[in-house]
Amino acid sequence: MTGLTVALDAMGGDFGPQVTVPAAVQALLQYPSLNLLLFGDQSAITTQLSSLNSTHHPRLTVVHCDHAIADHTRPSQALRQSQGSSMRRALDAVAEGDADACVSAGNTGALMALARYTLKQLPGVERPALVSAIPSRNGGKTWLLDLGANVSCDADTLFQFAVMGSVLAEQEMTGRPPRVALLNIGSEEIKGNDLVKRCASMLSRSPDVHYIGYVEGNELYDGKADVVVCDGFVGNVSLKTSEGVANLFIESFKQAVSQHPIKRLIAKWLFSDLFRQIQSLNPDQYNGASLLGLRGIVVKSHGSADIAALTNAIGEAVHEIKRKIPAKISDRLEHVLLERHF
Amino acid sequence: MTGLTVALDAMGGDFGPQVTVPAAVQALLQYPSLNLLLFGDQSAITTQLSSLNSTHHPRLTVVHCDHAIADHTRPSQALRQSQGSSMRRALDAVAEGDADACVSAGNTGALMALARYTLKQLPGVERPALVSAIPSRNGGKTWLLDLGANVSCDADTLFQFAVMGSVLAEQEMTGRPPRVALLNIGSEEIKGNDLVKRCASMLSRSPDVHYIGYVEGNELYDGKADVVVCDGFVGNVSLKTSEGVANLFIESFKQAVSQHPIKRLIAKWLFSDLFRQIQSLNPDQYNGASLLGLRGIVVKSHGSADIAALTNAIGEAVHEIKRKIPAKISDRLEHVLLERHF
């Protein structure tokens, strides 16, 4: 295995270096060939590193940046103010070939705008999409996109999302092509809005996507589809609603067992399988949404990610570097575009 | 308490009279002043009634209908074929004053189209909305609308949904006006699509709605807002996604305790609170979405509702009859329209 380099925006997220630095150290332990470039405030990063006895880690380099992009900054403003910021410099490292991927838990709109500006889209890509895997009932995964990078889309854009999602999903599948579905408010052909109906008609004619029809919100976790496509508004609401419900259950469960130490012990004995299952539904396990369609790998972590969750986001970047995702998407899109034209 | 009459479409839903008839008998037990008109196939209904020893219930009348509207029927087709169907006759009973409300678990699109045709909208209402209550973390309720009656909306329509939802919510609140929010993909003002931004600007200027800003999907169950407004596509996906995740947890929980009878006994003894709490998150508890904005009460049950869930939908109709919801919505809308014009 050759060396891998990930550029980490150490200032992004609700907790900044308090979470990003321990996650970086954890990721270096997990991936022996990983190199990390940490972009951010040198003194804040060094304080964290020394408390972890990792000041001189051979595979970690700190690059001082004098400011960070705030969470409330508009994308257009972020573009103007980005020079020298931790997010911009982490993306520049990818654009200039110093890193293979960028990970940030910062402002999503700013990350999308800066990523498009620095890395550019792959040939033929109209708009990059934010994608993440969600767990399915059968123990598998379903890739859901777009998760909020594009608040409104046309049918062509959704079609491209289907192609890009398919390429990502097939890296983890063997024996059959990924089943692609559109998220809709009914399973019958007549249901839905014009956008979904137009895209359904395009997908059902395409030889490049194994389109299986519509899925509804309650089927997202059934494992009926490997890739589920929707616009960014719907995808974001759906993913965040899932997180809300999952956290409600996890909290109820924790509360029921935490008040009484003996109950807790018995609960652990009774429900060890359930604890594992519930943990597997914890949104943090699936942290790390990828921006697909760019000439480089960019992974967006939850702003509220804890150390384990951010480590998972870095893991996602490593995974995509090894699988050369941007090159594979580019090849497939070229093929799809050629097929449409001839 | 005066008598209440509910017209029930006995053929609607995945199980037809097998569920609707036992639910009717159950509802009559629960509400001593309730009268029920059951519309559907006389022989199928009578078979169910006799198996429940309720053939001659003094508060239950069967009205034979020779057909039912199928689940895959398009709304336009349903309108043409509706004459004599169980759904249409149940709605006609409300339009003609023979019943105070209609309950159906049938085809949502058809129910919406037929309800608009038979009952008509209240003065000033652009489009009726489908609304339901969801449980919140603090033990309260949040009303979410629209849930799929309108796949695309403009800002005026969303504004009306906010007014109508507010009227419904305030029936169960005292001491403060309902807090109304828009469902969005971020809490900052700059986030979201044009529709949400335009409606936010209207709501923040309106003295008739206590508008508190945006909520995100993960905050739906936090009890931050009493009414959450969105278009029907987004609302349907969000509600169904919630149901999918809740069912996943409930199933995991059941599976963990059902495999071992001794475990089940200990679990029930130790974790009765948790069982209750998890049961309270069961979507069936909240079955019964109302079509708001019509000159009559129409409650839509889940197609897959079981007996308990359908009984809850009938209970929702009783509740709205007692609170005279359509008259209250009409008064408020008149007030809002007057205020806008003068």
Side-chain angles (χ1 to χ4, degrees):
Chain A
M1 199 161 63
T2 58
L4 309 157
T5 304
V6 170
L8 177 63
D9 168 11
M11 309 310 282
D14 300 349
F15 313 105
Q18 278 177 33
V19 157
T20 55
V21 175
V25 173
Q26 185 60 39
L28 289 168
L29 265 174
Q30 265 178 44
Y31 303 98
S33 59
L34 173 66
N35 295 288
L36 278 174
L37 305 176
L38 263 65
F39 292 85
D41 182 78
Q42 178 119 33
S43 118
I45 295 172
T46 312
T47 307
Q48 290 296 325
L49 282 174
S50 55
S51 75
L52 297 163
N53 294 324
S54 303
T55 321
H56 300 291
H57 196 293
R59 290 183 283 122
L60 188 153
T61 309
V62 180
V63 183
H64 177 71
C65 305
D66 51 22
H67 73 288
I69 292 181
D71 282 348
H72 57 265
T73 309
R74 288 168 193 261
S76 54
Q77 201 183 349
L79 271 174
R80 287 193 302 274
Q81 301 171 348
S82 66
Q83 207 73 39
S85 68
S86 58
M87 188 189 280
R88 169 71 183 270
R89 293 194 65 186
L91 286 164
D92 281 341
V94 182
E96 290 157 9
D98 296 330
D100 305 300
C102 164
V103 175
S104 175
N107 181 331
T108 310
L111 185 65
M112 169 84 169
L114 291 182
R116 286 175 73 169
Y117 178 74
T118 54
L119 298 174
K120 314 291 182 215
Q121 277 128 266
L122 288 168
V125 169
E126 295 188 19
R127 293 158 79 172
L130 202 57
V131 62
S132 188
I134 56 173
S136 68
R137 195 181 293 267
N138 51 16
K141 283 182 184 180
T142 295
W143 278 264
L144 180 64
L145 74 164
D146 174 52
L147 297 176
N150 306 282
V151 289
S152 57
C153 299
D154 61 19
D156 280 317
T157 313
L158 288 192
F159 178 84
Q160 284 201 345
F161 292 173
V163 174
M164 296 196 295
S166 221
V167 172
L168 190 64
E170 70 190 28
Q171 306 309 313
E172 298 197 23
M173 298 175 63
T174 45
R176 61 175 176 81
R179 297 156 306 167
V180 177
L182 284 166
L183 185 56
N184 198 359
I185 63 168
S187 53
E188 303 89 355
E189 236 178 85
I190 55 156
K191 291 286 175 71
N193 54 20
D194 286 346
L195 171 67
V196 166
K197 286 180 196 167
R198 273 202 302 275
C199 187
S201 142
M202 290 170 71
L203 285 169
S204 55
R205 289 195 311 267
S206 168
D208 299 290
V209 173
H210 178 37
Y211 176 63
I212 58 160
Y214 297 141
V215 294
E216 297 187 67
N218 55 325
E219 298 169 319
L220 270 179
Y221 293 84
D222 281 356
K224 280 178 86 165
D226 303 300
V227 178
V228 175
V229 176
C230 56
D231 75 49
F233 196 99
V234 171
N236 186 284
V237 166
S238 177
L239 186 74
K240 287 194 176 155
T241 301
S242 302
E243 289 170 9
V245 177
N247 286 332
L248 201 61
F249 273 92
I250 291 171
E251 255 178 44
S252 299
F253 199 75
K254 278 189 182 159
Q255 215 176 356
V257 297
S258 71
Q259 283 156 352
H260 206 293
I262 295 171
K263 273 195 182 184
R264 192 163 61 233
L265 275 176
I266 300 175
K268 279 199 174 165
W269 167 65
L270 279 175
F271 301 126
S272 53
D273 287 356
L274 183 64
F275 270 72
R276 259 199 306 279
Q277 232 169 331
I278 283 182
Q279 197 47 40
S280 79
L281 298 172
N282 187 333
D284 283 348
Q285 285 275 324
Y286 290 83
N287 187 36
S290 313
L291 269 174
L292 291 188
L294 296 165
R295 296 174 193 258
I297 295 164
V298 179
V299 173
K300 165 73 178 81
S301 158
H302 263 298
S304 61
D306 62 10
I307 297 167
L310 194 67
T311 310
N312 287 337
I314 300 171
E316 178 59 32
V318 170
H319 183 87
E320 290 185 28
I321 296 169
K322 287 184 186 167
R323 282 167 173 77
K324 302 185 174 63
I325 299 295
K328 282 178 179 153
I329 288 178
S330 181
D331 289 352
R332 183 70 51 85
L333 282 173
E334 197 179 336
H335 177 76
V336 171
L337 287 172
L338 274 173
E339 251 187 1
R340 277 220 208 158
H341 287 293
F342 299 103
Chain B
M1 198 162 61
T2 58
L4 309 157
T5 304
V6 170
L8 177 63
D9 168 12
M11 309 310 282
D14 300 350
F15 313 104
Q18 279 177 32
V19 159
T20 56
V21 176
V25 173
Q26 184 60 39
L28 289 169
L29 265 173
Q30 265 179 44
Y31 304 98
S33 60
L34 173 65
N35 295 288
L36 277 173
L37 305 175
L38 262 64
F39 293 85
D41 182 78
Q42 177 118 33
S43 118
I45 295 172
T46 311
T47 306
Q48 291 295 325
L49 282 174
S50 55
S51 75
L52 297 162
N53 294 325
S54 304
T55 320
H56 301 290
H57 196 294
R59 291 184 281 122
L60 187 153
T61 309
V62 178
V63 183
H64 177 71
C65 304
D66 51 21
H67 74 287
I69 292 181
D71 283 348
H72 57 266
T73 308
R74 287 166 195 264
S76 54
Q77 201 183 350
L79 271 174
R80 286 194 303 275
Q81 300 171 349
S82 66
Q83 207 73 39
S85 69
S86 58
M87 187 189 281
R88 168 69 184 271
R89 293 194 64 184
L91 287 164
D92 281 341
V94 183
E96 290 156 10
D98 298 328
D100 305 299
C102 165
V103 175
S104 175
N107 180 331
T108 311
L111 184 66
M112 168 85 169
L114 290 180
R116 287 176 71 169
Y117 178 75
T118 54
L119 297 174
K120 314 292 181 217
Q121 276 126 266
L122 289 168
V125 169
E126 294 188 21
R127 293 159 79 172
L130 201 58
V131 62
S132 188
I134 56 173
S136 68
R137 196 181 294 264
N138 50 17
K141 282 181 184 182
T142 295
W143 278 264
L144 181 64
L145 74 165
D146 175 52
L147 297 175
N150 306 282
V151 290
S152 58
C153 299
D154 60 20
D156 281 316
T157 312
L158 288 192
F159 178 84
Q160 284 202 345
F161 292 174
V163 175
M164 297 197 293
S166 220
V167 173
L168 190 65
E170 72 191 27
Q171 306 309 313
E172 298 197 23
M173 298 175 63
T174 45
R176 61 174 177 81
R179 297 157 304 168
V180 178
L182 285 166
L183 185 55
N184 198 0
I185 63 168
S187 54
E188 303 89 353
E189 234 178 87
I190 55 156
K191 290 286 174 71
N193 54 21
D194 287 346
L195 171 67
V196 167
K197 286 180 197 168
R198 274 201 302 273
C199 187
S201 142
M202 290 171 71
L203 285 169
S204 55
R205 290 195 310 267
S206 168
D208 300 289
V209 174
H210 178 38
Y211 176 63
I212 59 161
Y214 298 140
V215 294
E216 297 186 67
N218 54 325
E219 298 169 321
L220 269 179
Y221 294 84
D222 281 356
K224 280 178 85 165
D226 304 300
V227 179
V228 174
V229 176
C230 56
D231 76 48
F233 197 99
V234 170
N236 185 284
V237 166
S238 177
L239 186 74
K240 287 193 176 158
T241 301
S242 301
E243 289 170 9
V245 177
N247 286 332
L248 201 61
F249 273 93
I250 290 171
E251 253 178 47
S252 298
F253 195 73
K254 278 189 183 159
Q255 216 178 355
V257 296
S258 71
Q259 283 158 347
H260 205 294
I262 296 173
K263 275 192 179 183
R264 192 165 62 234
L265 276 175
I266 302 175
K268 276 199 174 163
W269 168 61
L270 278 174
F271 301 111
S272 53
D273 286 358
L274 181 63
F275 273 68
R276 258 199 307 280
Q277 226 171 335
I278 283 183
Q279 195 49 38
S280 79
L281 298 173
N282 187 333
D284 283 348
Q285 286 274 325
Y286 292 83
N287 187 38
S290 314
L291 268 174
L292 291 187
L294 296 166
R295 295 173 193 259
I297 295 163
V298 180
V299 173
K300 166 73 178 82
S301 157
H302 262 299
S304 62
D306 62 12
I307 296 168
L310 194 67
T311 309
N312 287 337
I314 300 171
E316 178 60 32
V318 170
H319 183 87
E320 289 185 28
I321 296 169
K322 289 184 187 167
R323 282 169 173 75
K324 303 185 173 64
I325 298 295
K328 282 179 179 152
I329 288 178
S330 181
D331 289 352
R332 183 69 52 85
L333 281 175
E334 198 179 335
H335 177 77
V336 171
L337 286 173
L338 274 174
E339 250 186 3
R340 276 219 210 159
H341 287 293
F342 298 104

